Amino acid sequence: KGLMEPGHPQPQFAPLSVKLYTQMEPAIGVDLASHLNGPDKAYLGHIAKETGATVVLKGRGSGVFDQDAHDSMHVLVSAPNQAVLNNARTLAQNLIDTVRNKLQNQGLLISFPGQLGGPSTFQGPQLLGGNQLVGSAAGGMPNLGNNNMGGMNMMGAMGPPT
């Protein structure tokens, strides 16, 4: 039978995914994960709801203990297609940038990319295996907005973690 004939198992494709590294070192006592997740994980949940992507904070300090627990903190975005991935990636990167700006303005970051004029640890998006893309969207995507996520202005919504 041919691949697309009825009764033949259809190929399953892994979702597309991207890791967006936060590239922030907060001061002692600052819970970066709370700032990124938002109250009751509202910020990442909003991105997932608006786009249809899966959006999860992972890596050191995220509170998630899995195969990525020793990786730097990042937002993992997974989506069924490129359009959904691009939309969610843009919103997630806007959130990271908003949190970075807020913490930087409050003097709550020890370091962030380019702070000392040296090279950033960002190496650009990299393909991992089949459909995974790793890197920060900051190097490959323009900042497309005013940090507005579906009508929710992230700067106004960023209060102290609860």
Side-chain angles (χ1 to χ4, degrees):
K1 290 184 173 184
L3 281 178
M4 295 299 164
E5 290 182 21
H8 190 279
Q10 298 301 310
Q12 296 295 314
F13 297 99
L16 298 170
S17 60
V18 63
K19 288 181 179 181
L20 303 174
Y21 287 94
T22 64
Q23 299 183 347
M24 290 182 267
E25 183 65 36
I28 294 173
V30 175
D31 184 0
L32 181 57
S34 291
H35 285 276
L36 290 165
N37 280 317
D40 297 321
K41 299 188 179 184
Y43 301 154
L44 296 180
H46 173 77
I47 296 169
K49 184 178 177 183
E50 287 296 311
T51 64
T54 301
V55 185
V56 182
L57 186 64
K58 296 186 128 198
R60 282 189 311 274
S62 69
V64 175
F65 301 99
D66 62 5
Q67 71 274 11
D68 289 330
H70 295 291
D71 199 0
S72 297
M73 188 181 291
H74 59 276
V75 176
L76 178 65
V77 179
S78 300
N81 62 58
Q82 193 66 48
V84 171
L85 182 70
N86 289 345
N87 191 19
R89 176 174 45 193
T90 298
L91 295 177
Q93 188 62 52
N94 284 345
L95 173 62
I96 291 168
D97 293 344
T98 298
V99 169
R100 180 183 296 114
N101 290 337
K102 178 183 183 238
L103 295 178
Q104 183 179 351
N105 290 339
Q106 294 177 349
L108 298 177
L109 288 183
I110 295 171
S111 64
F112 49 91
Q115 177 184 25
L116 303 175
S120 167
T121 56
F122 173 71
Q123 298 177 2
Q126 303 167 6
L127 290 176
L128 284 185
N131 296 329
Q132 292 188 15
L133 188 64
V134 175
S136 171
M141 292 184 58
N143 184 349
L144 297 177
N146 55 6
N147 295 325
N148 187 325
M149 294 176 46
M152 184 170 105
N153 183 308
M154 294 310 298
M155 283 304 279
M158 301 302 261
T162 56

